[in-house]
């Protein structure tokens, strides 16, 4: 029989260190945000210690896990289609395979998932992954299994993730879980629970382990990294109840970032996502101070209209956001910024939309991630506001901001022509097997001839040309980040 290797890129579950004694095969794939990809590495690790190695083939997997996203309706539809594909494989090729759904859709739909999708044997929410071995025992006995309990404590700080799909250079390290912000459009606070931070030492230990293994760039992950606060465990919202001692020794994001960059001077650091309301000046000085903290901030704004921001329950006005951007550019002049935007939020007028365009003109973002509003069941916006902007209006406004972003993106990319930028080589360029591809500190992709350099090298590249989103140049030597 012909071997079916799943073509879905995200589904490639290549693992560097398989365990010889493991006899069962796990196929795991992730959709949605970086946190999901990071969580899948935690899940793979848990299963690695319970008899499973990963496989890239759905055809011979004993267990198929899909880590799901609920952020927009389209994301959920993609997963539903994927389940149909599993169905076909189970029916035609691999009748014994078991299927589990993880992540935000699992949390949102709970046991409805088991009813609606017959293929699903197991439903596990984002805080219940340690229970998977027990749940699998239930499944083995022919029962459907579910655990969608959200936790006040769980950060998976004690689990060493198994790196999936790794290039051996870039890795994600999660530092917070959950979100307390309750943006009215967003399903995340419901699916990922309340915000809590991970113990700093476990973060440094994970980075140390990655360093030992030759990794060069770490992205610290959280829904709202600037809100990181370790005071001995527990929810962010309970900090007020902490003892004086706990308060005095608490570690915030600026301190965490400062220490990580100091402890690992030969590694480069990124972080995502920054929420404007929680980004304080201190962290900007830390970014400016360390050469090995990348000069790039993803700073979602969602809308340029103060009225809409208020409806969205974002905790700042247009003017406050602009003042923050001014401060960022003044403290870190060579920073690049990116946005998330939503068009067609309920009640959005043409004037509100123009405010978004003019805010973009003001900031001139390097990159942007833009979406048409998608109503999510259970959110405050869904309960209180009618989804009243017609699809074609949402789409037209989306096209306008995407077009404007492209103009700004190109402008921002062009600024590097003539400069020499520091690049971490990540992989072969898609356009030519004779060229490397990597990113500079500002997160712009750079391609250049391979010469004798290799993946994982930090090199200085003289930029001679660019396309809309890619810089083209020539390497001129190793950077001081090389050992
Ligand atoms: N924690 C991040 C956002 C996480 S969700 C923050 O601080 O903003 C990623 C992005 O998805 C959001 O920034 C938003 O732009 C988009 N998004 C979230 N819910 C959405 C919805 N209901 N419709 C359209 N886009 C949405
Ligand atoms: Fe969602 Fe707002 Fe948190 S967009 S993830 S509720 S910051």
């Amino acid at each position: 029989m012909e071997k079916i290797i799943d073509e879905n890129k995200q589904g490639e579950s290549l693992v560097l260190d398989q365990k010889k004694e493991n006899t069962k095969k796990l196929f795991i794939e992730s959709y949605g945000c970086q946190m999901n990809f990071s969580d899948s590495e935690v899940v793979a690790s848990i299963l690695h210690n319970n008899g499973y190695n990963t496989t890239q083939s759905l055809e011979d997997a004993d267990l198929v896990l899909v880590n799901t996203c609920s952020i927009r309706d389209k994301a959920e539809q993609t997963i539903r289609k994927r389940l149909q594909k599993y169905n076909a494989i189970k029916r035609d090729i691999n009748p014994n395979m078991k299927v589990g759904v993880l992540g935000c859709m699992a949390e949102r739909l709970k046991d409805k998932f088991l009813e609606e999708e017959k293929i699903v044997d197991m439903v596990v929410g984002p805080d219940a992954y340690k229970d998977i071995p027990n749940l699998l025992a239930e499944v083995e006995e022919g029962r459907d299994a579910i655990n969608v309990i959200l936790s006040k404590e769980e950060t998976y700080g004690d689990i060493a993730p198994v790196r999936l799909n790794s290039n051996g250079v870039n890795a994600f390290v999660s530092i917070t879980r959950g979100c307390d912000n309750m943006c009215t459009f967003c399903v995340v606070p419901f699916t990922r629970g309340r915000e809590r931070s991970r113990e700093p030492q476990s973060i440094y230990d994970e980075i140390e382990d990655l360093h030992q293994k030759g990794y060069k760039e770490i992205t610290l992950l959280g829904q709202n990294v600037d809100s990181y606060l370790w005071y001995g465990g527990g929810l962010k919202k309970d900090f007020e109840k902490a003892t004086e001692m706990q308060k005095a020794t608490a570690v915030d994001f600026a301190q965490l970032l400062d220490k990580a960059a100091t402890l690992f001077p030969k590694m480069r650091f990124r972080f995502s996502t920054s929420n404007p309301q929680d980004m304080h000046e201190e962290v900007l000085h830390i970014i400016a101070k360390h050469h090995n903290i990348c000069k790039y901030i993803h700073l979602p704004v969602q809308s340029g209209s103060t009225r809409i921001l208020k409806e969205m329950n974002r905790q700042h006005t247009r003017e406050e956001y602009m003042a923050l951007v001014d401060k960022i550019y003044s403290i870190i002049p060579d920073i690049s910024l990116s946005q998330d935007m939503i068009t067609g939020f309920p009640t959005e007028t043409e004037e509100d939309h123009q405010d978004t365009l003019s805010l973009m003109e003001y900031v001139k973002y390097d990159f942007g991630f833009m979406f048409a509003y998608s109503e999510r069941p259970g959110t405050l916006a869904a309960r209180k506001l009618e989804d009243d902007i017609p699809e074609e209006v949402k789409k037209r406004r989306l096209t306008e901001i995407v077009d404007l972003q492209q103009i700004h993106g190109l402008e921002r990319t062009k600024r590097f022509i003539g400069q020499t930028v520091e690049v971490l080589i990540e992989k072969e360029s898609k356009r030519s097997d004779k060229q490397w591809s990597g990113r500079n500190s500002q997160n712009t992709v750079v391609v250049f001839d391979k010469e004798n350099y290799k993946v994982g090298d930090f090199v200085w590249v003289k930029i001679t040309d660019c396309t809309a989103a890619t810089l083209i140049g020539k390497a001129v030597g190793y950077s001081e980040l090389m050992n």
Side-chain angles (χ1 to χ4, degrees):
M1 199 191 331
E2 209 189 1
K3 203 163 172 64
I4 299 173
I5 300 278
D6 193 75
E7 289 295 327
N8 187 316
K9 249 210 143 320
Q10 294 170 315
E12 291 173 8
S13 21
L14 182 73
V15 162
L16 304 170
D17 41 0
Q18 306 277 26
K19 273 193 183 171
K20 272 205 202 83
E21 64 273 26
N22 284 347
T23 53
K24 291 186 222 159
K25 296 197 187 86
L26 162 70
F27 179 96
I28 183 163
E29 64 179 346
S30 313
Y31 292 83
C33 65
Q34 291 167 335
M35 188 66 87
N36 263 4
F37 286 77
S38 172
D39 280 359
S40 290
E41 299 187 332
V42 165
V43 171
S45 173
I46 292 167
L47 283 167
H48 207 210
N49 294 328
N50 282 275
Y52 288 83
N53 280 337
T54 50
T55 171
Q56 286 181 268
S57 157
L58 272 171
E59 174 199 53
D60 56 17
D62 299 292
L63 176 64
V64 174
L65 294 179
V66 57
N67 203 341
T68 61
C69 175
S70 283
I71 202 80
R72 284 168 290 274
D73 184 56
K74 212 170 140 212
E76 292 204 350
Q77 296 313 323
T78 306
I79 310 283
R80 300 271 187 180
K81 283 207 196 92
R82 210 52 203 141
L83 293 174
Q84 283 173 17
K85 163 103 179 182
Y86 297 167
N87 229 336
I89 288 180
K90 181 161 180 158
R91 187 190 59 220
D92 300 337
I93 302 166
N94 186 359
N96 295 323
M97 89 184 198
K98 302 289 182 208
V99 174
V101 278
L102 317 175
C104 288
M105 264 177 102
E107 192 64 46
R108 193 177 87 70
L109 293 165
K110 302 186 169 60
D111 47 357
K112 255 175 49 191
F113 229 133
L114 295 165
E115 289 156 27
E116 287 173 11
E117 304 280 354
K118 293 286 164 257
I119 181 83
V120 174
D121 304 292
M122 179 172 80
V123 174
V124 196
D127 285 347
Y129 296 147
K130 283 185 189 157
D131 197 28
I132 289 178
N134 303 325
L135 295 168
L136 283 174
E138 295 274 309
V139 171
E140 287 303 320
E141 287 176 17
R143 288 190 291 272
D144 285 343
I146 179 163
N147 186 344
V148 288
I149 296 170
L150 288 170
S151 160
K152 286 184 183 174
E153 311 275 327
E154 189 59 83
T155 60
Y156 300 115
D158 53 337
I159 292 185
V162 162
R163 304 290 158 186
L164 300 167
N165 308 316
S166 178
N167 61 357
V169 175
N170 311 95
F172 297 122
V173 171
S174 73
I175 64 166
T176 72
R177 296 186 73 81
C179 187
D180 283 351
N181 287 337
M182 295 303 279
C183 300
T184 56
F185 53 82
C186 186
V187 76
V188 170
F190 302 95
T191 59
R192 289 191 162 267
R194 303 305 299 252
E195 188 181 313
R196 63 223 102 117
S197 296
R198 177 176 167 188
E199 199 245 324
Q201 193 56 48
S202 78
I203 297 172
Y204 308 136
D205 290 347
E206 188 175 336
I207 300 171
E208 171 64 29
D209 181 53
L210 288 160
H211 180 55
Q212 298 284 335
K213 290 180 173 141
Y215 284 82
K216 299 293 171 69
E217 188 179 277
I218 304 296
T219 304
L220 302 173
L221 280 187
Q223 295 301 335
N224 184 0
V225 286
D226 293 274
S227 159
Y228 176 89
L229 190 62
W230 172 260
Y231 62 96
L235 296 178
K236 169 81 188 260
K237 74 172 178 63
D238 293 334
F239 179 64
E240 279 162 25
K241 293 185 221 152
T243 62
E244 287 312 311
M245 184 65 176
Q246 283 174 320
K247 283 184 183 163
T249 55
V251 177
D252 68 12
F253 183 56
Q255 291 165 315
L256 182 83
L257 194 57
D258 192 22
K259 182 146 178 196
T262 307
L263 284 174
F264 305 97
K266 300 291 177 190
M267 294 183 94
R268 211 159 75 160
F269 289 89
R270 298 184 186 277
F271 50 88
S272 189
T273 298
S274 298
N275 194 297
Q277 77 191 55
D278 293 303
M279 175 149 243
H280 301 302
E281 194 167 326
E282 183 58 21
V283 84
L284 300 175
H285 291 294
I286 300 298
I287 299 167
K289 179 173 112 181
H290 292 276
H291 176 74
N292 61 333
I293 300 179
C294 288
K295 304 296 177 270
Y296 167 52
I297 302 172
H298 180 50
L299 197 65
V301 63
Q302 321 296 357
S303 168
S305 151
T306 295
R307 189 183 70 81
I308 293 291
L309 288 170
K310 197 153 190 279
E311 292 287 355
M312 289 174 160
N313 193 32
R314 303 285 290 186
Q315 302 294 316
H316 58 80
T317 63
R318 167 192 176 87
E319 288 71 25
E320 283 162 345
Y321 184 87
M322 286 159 121
L324 175 62
V325 168
D326 290 346
K327 196 183 274 178
I328 294 172
Y329 282 138
S330 76
I331 296 173
I332 322 163
D334 58 344
I335 199 84
S336 68
L337 293 177
S338 61
Q339 40 88 346
D340 285 350
M341 290 286 188
I342 297 177
T343 61
F345 185 81
T347 77
E348 186 188 63
T349 62
E350 276 316 305
E351 203 186 330
D352 295 321
H353 172 58
Q354 289 302 324
D355 282 349
T356 295
L357 292 167
S358 71
L359 179 74
M360 289 172 69
E361 285 290 1
Y362 185 83
V363 180
K364 293 234 171 18
Y365 295 99
D366 290 72
F367 319 99
F369 306 89
M370 295 150 282
F371 316 96
Y373 173 67
S374 166
E375 187 178 79
R376 309 311 294 132
T379 58
L380 201 70
R383 284 184 278 137
K384 295 269 157 64
L385 299 167
E386 191 193 338
D387 184 7
D388 60 351
I389 309 299
E391 268 324 292
E392 64 271 17
V393 176
K394 285 182 189 170
K395 287 225 174 82
R396 194 251 306 147
R397 290 178 186 167
L398 182 60
T399 307
E400 285 176 19
I401 64 168
V402 168
D403 288 350
L404 185 61
Q405 183 52 51
Q406 261 200 317
I407 294 169
H408 292 160
L410 177 60
E411 239 173 77
R412 295 292 288 167
T413 308
K414 274 189 181 156
R415 87 186 134 125
F416 292 109
I417 294 181
Q419 290 186 23
T420 301
V421 301
E422 190 177 52
V423 177
L424 171 60
I425 302 178
E426 294 174 1
K427 58 189 175 198
E428 197 166 83
S429 159
K430 273 184 236 140
R431 296 185 309 182
S432 161
D433 62 4
K434 296 192 173 50
Q435 290 194 312
W436 289 131
S437 169
R439 280 173 295 158
N440 66 2
S441 173
Q442 287 80 1
N443 205 40
T444 308
V445 174
V446 182
V447 299
F448 56 97
D449 286 347
K450 282 183 177 175
E451 303 184 53
N452 289 327
Y453 299 104
K454 56 183 195 315
V455 169
D457 285 350
F458 284 104
V459 288
W460 288 108
V461 178
K462 169 106 177 141
I463 303 303
T464 52
D465 201 357
C466 76
T467 63
T470 306
L471 293 166
I472 300 158
K474 179 169 172 25
V476 294
Y478 291 110
S479 97
E480 49 271 37
L481 284 178
M482 288 292 291
N483 287 314

